[in-house]
Amino acid sequence: MLALVTLIAFAQPNKSLVQGTVTESNSKAPIAGATISLGNRKTVTDDWGKFSFGKIDKGVYELIVSSLGFKEFKQTLSVKEAETKVAVQLTATALFLQPLEVKAVRASDRAPFAKTNIAKEEIAKTNLGQDIPFILNQTPSVVINSDAGNGVGYTAMRIRGTDATRINVTMNGIPYNDAESLGTYFVDLPDFASSVNSIQIQRGVGTSSNGAGAFGATINMSTNEYNEKAYGESNNSFGSFNTWKNTLKAGTGLLNGHFTVDARVSRINSDGYIDRAKSDLKSYYFSTAYISKQSSLRLNIFSGKEKTYQAWYGVPEDQLLTNRTINPAGTEKPGAPYDNQTDNYTQTHYQLLFNHSFNNRWSFTTAAFLSRGKGYYEEYKADQTFSNYGLPDVTVGGVTVTNTDLVRQRWLDNYFYGQIASLQYKHEKDELTIGGGWSKYDGKHFGDIVWMKTGTVSKEYRYYDYPATKTDANFYAKWQHQLSAHWSSFADLQYRHVNHDMKGFEGNPALNVNRSFDFFNPKAGITYNNNGWQAFFSYALAHKEPNRDDFQAGVKSQPKPETLHDIELGVEKKNGSYHFGANIYYMYYYNQLVLTGQINDVGSYTRTNVPHSYRLGIELQAVAVVDKWINVSGNLSLSKNKISSYTEYIDNYDTGDQNAVAHKNTDISFSPAVVAGAAVNLLPVPNFEISLLSKYVGKEYMDNSQGDNRKLNAFFVQDIRAGLTLKKILFSEIHIIGQVNNVFNRKYEPNGYTYSYIYNNTLSTGNGFYPMAGTNYMLGVNLRL
């Protein structure tokens, strides 16, 4: 942060400041979120339609202003004075193009919450085949990991130390989190980033309305892009570990003044850094829309099919130094590892979205959706007891055989469907949104045996079959009011009802759980804005239901829902040449669910409610345009993440029981106290950019005991990315991207697990880690017709 301030202070003074406003030509109302291009610089307007560029060399530039629903504005701008002002008026098109379904769930520029917006251009810079978490790596408080070690296949992220089950994810306003586990599996939608045109990350509770409760962050992704002209693209990447990405995109543009069609097909293959961690990923995206003057109707269909060799067992600690790519998966098979120890899943989404504007004050949006998922993971299991699979013992040559090797498949077969809707009012000082939604999850969990070394089993036989349903309904009202020229208020009230109905669990088929939860989630805040400064204060209350694994605790120890009180205080300063900000947060959890090692009444390890825990932190950000050929950015998160008290349970193999160990004021697992990112972007010539990227993550613990023998070490890694754009050479545009990851070949592990036990009166701890690849590269060539 000191370096950024120094760069600002020593920046060349002989520059001009360009400031302006963008308004509607008829109503003179400000237009928020309009894209402003001036030479090779870009920015967007704030909620008051204002924008600025600092440190502009004097000269003549082309000013381009664009915003969805308005005709593009172009003007030659002569920059001569120390300060240049411009007023732009945009004329509305004859088509209704506003993405209301996204506006209903996103935080506006004035909303009193910590947020980061990522535009399509920024997504494209990093989209070389790695999954969504890797595209978000440079945003504040984010820590990412990958089972295969190179960002292809199963990936995950934590934001403010909270995992995917506590991050609310929506796509075009529609819930995406898995209804039962509450997690998010981006591997099920390979190359989805190629269809996303914007992402907003809200840290903390935020303004989440639909889907799972946000206990660490909210990620809103939008794909409903409008392209006025026909286009075609071919995006191809190749890199280390035999990684390939091939994408074809095409669109018709506007047909007959009303229709559009956009489509994409993708394929990603990789051998992975970890042994046998192969990925074979395919996906498609199709979107068609009818747009009139006051309405739009859009149908989205997108699907992903993944086949990945299992790499979720990690690397044992005693192998980390000598064989850090070893993969235990499939090794129960004698001889060579089982070649089909794979995860197989297909997920298809159907979205029908309707937007309508009654007049310039009232608008309405609704969407119906269906997500269809089906798949299994297959594994070789050695020396399995017949009785554990509900099968009789086998007699061979007069000898009773009780065990056998077998290959089993564990299946998921589910439907997730529902509807969301919102009514929006906007006039002068007020913006009101009233909305809600409902969804139903209908899932089947069952297991098949596809091969047995001894004995036979019919194809129709299932050794377990546990159906489950979940319903979710919510209603909310959001009101943003401008109190004065500089002050605005925000209020958000949500009621949510959740019901789980689960008929049996593995290991306890007779356990039927039917539980309902009713949550009231209020949020309120105030924002001050003046002369480029903005400050806010907010409070939010959130609740979250347990996930499916938690309910396996048994009859005697059913989990309680979690409660979160989130207080946020932020300040930022923006002008055309720099932007810096700080956000302080205090997140107090009541009844947070954590792993303690305790075995429940059905013999499983499940999470237990701990009464009191909290996260206290500060997030610092800064961006500075030093000159037209260099800009720098950075973020730093410092936090304290504590559980007031909890009891750890350790298996004692000497007694056949568990030993209880009390802990006080320990760190919450997987919550580093320091997370930082930095980027230096060099633009030596037009259309060529070199980025130097750095990421630091402090040490973190793999359980809540805060033991030094159960931690992940801190790491600091650097990447280099270069991008070159060539225009009107054979193609309309050729964009070449090259990236070298982990330039200095650091050996680090951002994820792991730990297990402790007592044997012969000795406490032993076993750790497993998920190493990331050393120096590796990706090269992409994107062609646009």
Side-chain angles (χ1 to χ4, degrees):
M1 301 297 289
L2 179 61
L4 293 178
V5 173
T6 304
L7 285 169
I8 294 170
F10 286 93
Q12 297 177 11
N14 190 26
K15 304 288 183 179
S16 178
L17 173 65
V18 177
Q19 295 179 311
T21 58
V22 180
T23 59
E24 296 182 19
S25 58
N26 292 328
S27 65
K28 310 303 180 186
I31 299 176
T35 300
I36 317 296
S37 297
L38 187 67
N40 62 354
R41 299 270 295 276
K42 284 189 177 183
T43 189
V44 295
T45 56
D46 61 18
D47 279 356
W48 287 267
K50 296 180 180 179
F51 70 90
S52 65
F53 292 98
K55 297 183 174 60
I56 297 292
D57 288 327
K58 294 178 181 180
V60 178
Y61 298 87
E62 183 179 39
L63 175 67
I64 303 175
V65 183
S66 61
S67 181
L68 197 60
F70 297 90
K71 295 180 180 178
E72 186 177 74
F73 175 91
K74 290 185 179 182
Q75 174 185 312
T76 299
L77 183 66
S78 179
V79 178
K80 298 179 180 179
E81 308 297 331
E83 184 174 346
T84 303
K85 293 187 177 181
V86 59
V88 176
Q89 294 186 355
L90 297 185
T91 303
T93 66
L95 299 175
F96 181 73
L97 300 173
Q98 297 299 322
L100 301 178
E101 72 282 349
V102 175
K103 291 178 66 177
V105 298
R106 286 198 175 178
S108 70
D109 188 58
R110 285 180 292 169
F113 301 101
K115 53 194 174 293
T116 299
N117 295 309
I118 304 175
K120 180 180 179 180
E121 293 79 9
E122 292 301 312
I123 297 171
K125 286 181 182 180
T126 57
N127 185 18
L128 291 169
Q130 293 178 311
D131 222 338
I132 294 285
F134 283 71
I135 292 175
L136 307 181
N137 186 38
Q138 285 295 321
T139 58
S141 300
V142 169
V143 180
I144 61 173
N145 64 79
S146 165
D147 284 5
N150 66 328
V152 180
Y154 273 90
T155 61
M157 76 179 97
R158 295 177 182 271
I159 301 178
R160 289 187 178 176
T162 60
D163 64 14
T165 66
R166 288 176 164 86
I167 299 174
N168 172 273
V169 180
T170 59
M171 295 178 175
N172 302 316
I174 293 171
Y176 180 67
N177 293 68
D178 180 78
E180 289 192 299
S181 71
L182 302 179
T184 302
Y185 305 99
F186 292 109
V187 67
D188 294 336
L189 292 177
D191 198 30
F192 190 68
S194 290
S195 294
V196 173
N197 58 283
S198 67
I199 301 175
Q200 183 182 77
I201 304 173
Q202 302 172 23
R203 297 181 297 281
V205 173
T207 64
S208 58
S209 302
N210 301 314
F215 263 50
T218 298
I219 299 176
N220 298 318
M221 292 182 282
S222 173
T223 67
N224 293 342
E225 185 179 17
Y226 168 73
N227 293 284
E228 184 179 1
K229 297 180 180 180
Y231 68 93
E233 289 185 35
S234 173
N235 304 331
N236 301 278
S237 304
F238 171 76
S240 300
F241 318 114
N242 198 28
T243 302
W244 285 91
K245 171 182 173 288
N246 307 106
T247 302
L248 292 175
K249 297 172 63 177
T252 63
L254 192 62
L255 299 174
N256 296 325
H258 292 288
F259 294 94
T260 67
V261 177
D262 297 275
R264 171 186 59 82
V265 291
S266 300
R267 180 186 67 181
I268 301 174
N269 296 97
S270 178
D271 291 341
Y273 168 66
I274 300 297
D275 295 345
R276 303 186 308 284
K278 294 183 178 181
S279 297
D280 182 4
L281 315 175
K282 299 179 178 66
S283 68
Y284 70 82
Y285 176 88
F286 173 84
S287 180
T288 183
Y290 174 82
I291 307 169
S292 65
K293 186 175 182 179
Q294 291 183 287
S295 303
S296 68
L297 179 66
R298 181 179 290 273
L299 173 66
N300 296 332
I301 303 174
F302 49 96
S303 180
K305 182 178 181 180
E306 62 92 2
K307 181 172 185 177
T308 56
Y309 196 97
Q310 295 167 23
W312 53 55
Y313 294 101
V315 176
E317 186 172 22
D318 58 3
Q319 298 281 335
L320 200 58
L321 293 178
T322 58
N323 192 5
R324 64 186 287 110
T325 65
I326 190 173
N327 185 0
T331 57
E332 288 192 40
K333 176 181 175 294
Y338 183 56
D339 61 359
N340 200 37
Q341 189 97 353
T342 57
D343 182 70
N344 306 263
Y345 198 75
T346 300
Q347 188 177 86
T348 304
H349 296 256
Y350 306 87
Q351 300 179 344
L352 183 63
L353 305 105
F354 175 71
N355 291 328
H356 178 72
S357 175
F358 298 101
N359 50 47
N360 59 2
R361 298 185 184 181
W362 291 93
S363 56
F364 171 75
T365 180
T366 186
F369 62 90
L370 166 65
S371 299
R372 175 74 172 104
K374 188 174 183 179
Y376 65 92
Y377 68 88
E378 183 170 310
E379 55 186 354
Y380 189 104
K381 301 296 292 183
D383 199 27
Q384 300 293 291
T385 304
F386 285 110
S387 59
N388 288 343
Y389 293 83
L391 297 171
D393 294 339
V394 175
T395 301
V396 179
V399 178
T400 300
V401 179
T402 61
N403 294 52
T404 184
D405 289 7
L406 56 81
V407 174
R408 68 188 186 188
Q409 293 178 348
R410 296 190 170 192
W411 281 83
L412 283 175
D413 185 353
N414 53 69
Y415 295 85
F416 178 58
Y417 55 91
Q419 183 180 11
I420 60 171
S422 66
L423 180 67
Q424 299 170 25
Y425 171 83
K426 185 176 182 179
H427 180 61
E428 294 181 352
K429 298 182 178 181
D430 294 287
E431 187 169 337
L432 177 67
T433 302
I434 300 173
W438 66 270
S439 65
K440 183 174 182 178
Y441 172 88
D442 185 356
K444 298 179 178 64
H445 303 253
F446 59 89
D448 294 342
I449 300 173
V450 297
W451 175 83
M452 297 173 65
K453 184 177 181 180
T454 304
T456 58
V457 65
S458 67
K459 291 182 178 180
E460 293 75 23
Y461 180 73
R462 291 180 175 175
Y463 69 92
Y464 71 86
D465 192 351
Y466 308 129
T469 60
K470 179 181 179 181
T471 56
D472 188 334
N474 77 86
F475 176 81
Y476 65 87
K478 301 179 184 182
W479 178 35
Q480 190 163 287
H481 175 67
Q482 188 171 336
L483 300 168
S484 66
H486 304 302
W487 292 92
S488 61
S489 62
F490 178 88
D492 182 348
L493 303 176
Q494 184 206 42
Y495 165 75
R496 182 168 175 247
H497 174 80
V498 180
N499 174 261
H500 286 271
D501 186 5
M502 292 160 283
K503 301 188 185 311
F505 299 86
E506 187 176 0
N508 195 346
L511 177 61
N512 294 327
V513 176
N514 190 321
R515 294 187 64 187
S516 294
F517 304 93
D518 292 278
F519 301 135
F520 177 61
N521 301 316
K523 311 174 185 74
I526 191 166
T527 303
Y528 173 80
N529 190 296
N530 186 25
N531 194 31
W533 285 95
Q534 180 163 300
F536 69 83
F537 174 80
S538 67
Y539 165 79
L541 174 64
H543 298 85
K544 180 176 171 294
E545 72 276 17
N547 63 33
R548 177 182 173 85
D549 289 342
D550 298 324
F551 289 113
Q552 296 188 59
V555 176
K556 298 179 182 178
S557 51
Q558 280 290 294
K560 301 174 184 177
E562 301 173 288
T563 300
L564 169 61
H565 300 268
D566 182 19
I567 298 173
E568 307 269 342
L569 175 64
V571 61
E572 61 180 351
K573 168 67 174 177
K574 291 182 180 179
N575 71 15
S577 58
Y578 64 88
H579 168 206
F580 63 84
N583 184 67
I584 300 172
Y585 63 88
Y586 176 68
M587 302 168 67
Y588 170 74
Y589 296 87
Y590 179 67
N591 280 334
Q592 183 176 190
L593 284 161
V594 302
L595 283 169
T596 65
Q598 185 176 17
I599 295 177
N600 57 40
D601 53 335
V602 295
S604 298
Y605 300 98
T606 56
R607 299 190 300 176
T608 302
N609 296 104
V610 294
H612 308 291
S613 55
Y614 69 88
R615 301 181 186 276
L616 173 65
I618 182 170
E619 296 165 328
L620 306 173
Q621 298 181 73
V623 178
V625 178
V626 182
D627 208 327
K628 65 180 181 179
W629 60 271
I630 181 172
N631 62 79
V632 294
S633 62
N635 60 76
L636 172 65
S637 300
L638 306 172
S639 64
K640 188 176 182 180
N641 311 277
K642 294 291 184 178
I643 295 178
S644 298
S645 65
Y646 93 105
T647 301
E648 177 192 10
Y649 292 86
I650 302 174
D651 291 340
N652 190 326
Y653 294 149
D654 297 335
T655 64
D657 204 348
Q658 290 191 302
N659 289 13
V661 181
H663 295 276
K664 295 283 188 181
N665 199 37
T666 57
D667 283 0
I668 300 175
S669 61
F670 298 103
S671 300
V674 183
V675 178
V680 178
N681 302 304
L682 308 174
L683 301 92
V685 295
N687 300 319
F688 180 57
E689 180 178 11
I690 301 174
S691 299
L692 312 175
L693 310 172
S694 299
K695 186 77 176 186
Y696 176 83
V697 177
K699 71 176 181 180
E700 51 190 305
Y701 298 95
M702 295 183 287
D703 69 2
N704 300 296
S705 67
Q706 199 173 332
D708 281 340
N709 62 336
R710 310 178 190 180
K711 71 177 180 181
L712 298 172
N713 293 322
F715 61 87
F716 182 42
V717 293
Q718 293 79 34
D719 305 332
I720 297 178
R721 183 178 64 235
L724 172 65
T725 301
L726 305 173
K727 296 186 177 182
K728 297 181 180 179
I729 300 177
L730 297 179
F731 298 90
S732 174
E733 182 177 289
I734 301 174
H735 188 51
I736 302 171
I737 310 172
Q739 181 159 329
V740 179
N741 303 305
N742 195 358
V743 174
F744 297 106
N745 200 31
R746 303 297 187 195
K747 293 183 179 180
Y748 69 103
E749 302 83 37
N751 194 21
Y753 61 86
T754 185
Y755 171 68
S756 296
Y757 60 92
I758 296 172
Y759 182 68
N760 286 337
N761 291 320
T762 302
L763 176 64
S764 299
T765 297
N767 296 324
F769 297 93
Y770 297 87
M772 294 295 291
T775 304
N776 63 96
Y777 74 94
M778 288 293 295
L779 177 66
V781 179
N782 302 331
L783 309 176
R784 188 177 179 95
L785 299 178

